[in-house]
Amino acid sequence: MHVRPPATPAPVVPRALAAVLLAGALAAVGALAPGLDARVAGALLFVVQGTAWAQLRRTALLRPAERHVWGWIAGGAGVLAAGALLGLTGDLLDAAPGAGGAAAWLHLAPRLSALAAVPFLYQGLVRWNPLRTYTSDAGDWVNGMSAVLTLTAVGVLVVRWAGTAQVAWTLPQLLAWTGLAAGLAVLVGTAVTVASVGGLQRDPRTWAVTAVLLALTGVVLVVGSRYPLGGTPLQVAWALAGLALAVTGVTGQRVTPVPARAEVPTAGAIAVLFAAIAVLVLTGFAPASGVTPTVLAGLAVLGVALRVGHLVHETTLLAETRHLALTDDLTGVPNRRALVQRLEDLDRRSGTALLVADVDRFKEVNDRWGHQRGDELLRLVVAAAREALPRRGVLARLGGDEFAVLLPGLGDAAAVAVAQRVREAVLQRIALAGGRYDVASGVGLSVGVATAGPGPLDADELLRRADAAMYSVKTRSGPSAASGVELFDRAVDERLRDRAALLADLRVLLDPAPGGRDVGELVVVYQPQVTVPDAVVVGVEALVRWRHPQRGTLPPPAFLDLVEEHGLMDALTRAVLTAAVRDAAGWSVDGRPLRVSVNLSASTLASPGLLDLVDGVLAASGFDPARLVLEVTETALMADPELALAVAHGLTARGVQLSIDDYGTGYSSLAYLTDLPAAELKLDRAFTTRLLSEPRTTQVVHATVELAHRLGLRVVVEGTEDAATFDRLYVLGADESQGWLHGRPVPAAEFSRLLGRPEPASPSSASRVPPARPAGRGSR
């Protein structure tokens, strides 16, 4: 249940401050006492207005969120205090000989300060709502000035048409009185507007300020019947108003304002414009009213024109900013934000299709030809796709080399057809570009398609589905992968989600954080390598397994591709190599010195930290480097031959042995047998399984063994699962054998127990792991 928080109690005015303000109010009223010396009255008014200014300034400092509001209002009080000080100075100069002219000008200061205070109060009011849109903020003063000019013109017209006593005033006096009344009226209207559009109706301070300004307006209108600016009575009214504002600033429950709409200043400007035009029309029909109202109304129209022009400029900038925010700079098509907005604004009564396309081998284009060529390729894709799209299709760039196409109203078959047309159009453009993009290297387009039927549409989910379908094409796992287009399939998506979850667990497993969730553990298991034909255990191959808490024990094929793809292979290699060397060092201490073989991937072989890793592991364990064998595949060697050879020589310089793994299944090159400082060649199980049934395979194995021996290499044959195959390896001259015949991969503790079993009677009866004994032929 939602419980509304208790309302914040209204602040209470401190007693000392209340006493000061009350004394000030009494002093202000006392300035009207009959027969009171003008200098004493002036001094009282100066002190009162100075007190009001000091308290308002203090309020601005104590309330940072509203400092602009109370700071400007305090500025108005300061102008009044300065006027009172100048007036008091004039009173003091009255007694000085020859100061009559200067004193007369100083006596005008208290009266004119009321006019000068109006702009300060206006600026404070329009800043009461700090959450405005920027179009409703700039140029507010132009609106206010135009409104004051218009109301002043109206006041002059009313005075002259009604024939009131003010007709006898001079023009400056009339303008001063009507201008002050107009300014106060604008302040009242501004206070009401700010409270209404800013959601401040429950803030009593806004209405207190409105009441003070309304009272001041009444005083000006009443006192103005005797003198344009009211003299001492008006100064007292302003002094009391300042004290009232000072009290308002420290009391009342504050309410958080809401953003104002950009239409508010526009509507105000239009209202002022119509009023000013009305004055111009009326003065045209009544020339006797004089030129003053016409001039004032004309100035108001000019001010409104400036304000409207400013609003138009701001609106144009806003439109341009919005366009830039929703447009891709490079290609000129909508960006991801714009696409999501289109998806959210779609008519839900019809179906929707979404394509997500990714440029194949785009990174290679950037790396080989430079980013400028890559940008050209992206613009080429956009131009070709636009030509192939239906009229209602919306092309957007999601980022990088990824694009999306929104197809309202299309189902599965039609969307796939459009995707194929788009892909063919892009491929044709790339083909026309010829060597600029090296089409033979595989530069193309992979497209994923997702559709949604009528009803509620989740934009993010539709994007995710289309992206999953595109990723399926990228990994060549879908039924339509050959065509480069694939429709979203829930089964494929489930597999991708499962792989994503497995990847998340892998990241935790290889980079564990304190207090992380349980994702199981890595276990290193060992499979024996035995001599041929006497089956002496001379080495082990370290293999990794993942004991997952929900999925059970996972073999390497279930997760190694994710490890390699997402840059986790270095961490996995470190963990396996550390465990393997540690266990092998323990067997050596127990009198069972064995070689231990650990596989290296292509990325690990190219890692700049591999040599340091090997040095650190060997130093920590004290293991003999000559008993560590690092296995590399031919494919890994081909990734970067020069770097591979350099790293290989660095490893052998440390005494570590190298083995060419899976020989004969990759891009076999005799050059590696001559250039690579290898000590071992491992023949893949693909040959072993056909050894007894295919004579040609037997000849290939025999020739390979002979070649390896001539080059001084040890030959280890994988996949030995029966005694007949083991006997055939002896005939062919293989050095060592590895396979289920000799033992399945088991953890270190179990392997240690198996090392202690009695030796089998003959090679043909070899089963698990015979006891270790001095190495025989081929143990180098």
Side-chain angles (χ1 to χ4, degrees), residues 2 51 58 98 178 183 186 191 232 240 269 300 345 372 376 380 395 476 498 508 550 563 733:
H2 177 70
T51 301
R58 180 172 178 269
T178 54
V186 169
T232 302
L240 293 174
D345 295 339
Q372 182 177 357
E376 291 177 3
L380 179 149
L395 175 64
R476 300 295 186 266
D498 184 70
V508 175
Q550 287 82 39
V563 172

Side-chain angles (χ1 to χ4, degrees), residues 642-653:
E642 294 184 3
L643 178 61
L645 288 175
V647 174
H649 284 287
L651 291 170
T652 55

Side-chain angles (χ1 to χ4, degrees), residues 346-353 392 407-411 451-457:
L346 275 179
D347 184 358
R348 308 297 172 84
R349 293 174 296 179
S350 60
T352 301
R392 296 186 62 193
L407 300 169
L410 295 190
T451 59
L457 177 65

Side-chain angles (χ1 to χ4, degrees), residues 335-412:
N335 58 17
R336 177 185 286 270
R337 185 183 296 108
L339 178 70
V340 172
Q341 288 186 5
R342 290 285 188 93
L343 282 169
E344 292 174 348
D345 295 339
L346 275 179
D347 184 358
R348 308 297 172 84
R349 293 174 296 179
S350 60
T352 301
L354 184 69
L355 316 181
V356 170
D358 185 88
V359 180
D360 302 328
R361 306 295 182 98
F362 179 73
K363 183 178 184 301
E364 295 179 16
V365 172
N366 273 338
D367 293 343
R368 180 175 180 182
W369 302 103
H371 289 278
Q372 182 177 357
R373 185 69 61 83
D375 293 345
E376 291 177 3
L377 176 58
L378 295 179
R379 286 190 286 264
L380 179 149
V381 170
V382 168
R386 276 176 164 169
E387 294 179 359
L389 286 179
R391 182 177 57 85
R392 296 186 62 193
V394 178
L395 175 64
R397 184 185 178 199
L398 299 179
D401 61 334
E402 198 168 80
F403 296 87
V405 177
L406 177 61
L407 300 169
L410 295 190
D412 292 351

Side-chain angles (χ1 to χ4, degrees), residues 700-732:
V700 170
V701 172
H702 184 259
T704 303
V705 170
E706 288 291 332
L707 176 63
H709 285 168
R710 289 181 180 275
L711 295 175
L713 301 178
R714 177 176 63 246
V715 178
V716 179
V717 181
E718 298 179 302
T720 306
E721 298 183 0
D722 54 73
T725 302
F726 185 77
D727 292 339
R728 180 63 59 88
L729 293 179
Y730 171 68
V731 174
L732 295 176

Side-chain angles (χ1 to χ4, degrees), residues 174-318:
L174 180 60
L175 290 177
W177 178 68
T178 54
L180 182 57
L184 289 172
V186 169
L187 292 179
V188 172
T190 302
V192 173
T193 302
V194 167
S196 301
V197 303
L200 300 172
Q201 296 91 332
R202 292 190 303 161
D203 191 337
R205 299 174 304 162
T206 57
W207 301 117
V209 172
T210 303
V212 170
L213 297 174
L214 192 59
L216 273 176
T217 306
V219 171
V220 168
L221 292 174
V222 172
V223 175
S225 62
R226 296 193 305 166
Y227 191 77
L229 295 180
T232 302
L234 184 58
Q235 294 181 54
V236 172
W238 277 103
L240 293 174
L243 293 175
L245 292 176
V247 173
T248 302
V250 295
T251 59
Q253 180 180 351
R254 286 174 287 177
V255 176
T256 302
V258 298
R261 300 184 305 274
E263 293 87 348
V264 174
T266 305
I270 293 175
V272 173
L273 178 62
F274 277 112
I277 292 175
V279 171
L280 291 175
V281 172
L282 291 175
T283 54
F285 285 106
S289 59
V291 72
T292 302
T294 303
V295 173
L296 294 174
L299 292 174
V301 170
L302 179 61
V304 171
L306 292 173
R307 178 58 173 144
V308 171
H310 179 75
L311 285 173
V312 170
H313 176 68
E314 292 291 337
T315 304
T316 302
L317 289 179
L318 181 61

Side-chain angles (χ1 to χ4, degrees), residues 56-74:
L56 287 168
R57 184 62 182 165
R58 180 172 178 269
T59 300
L61 295 176
L62 293 179
R63 293 187 173 177
E66 296 178 339
R67 65 183 184 277
H68 295 300
V69 178
W70 299 106
W72 280 101
I73 293 177

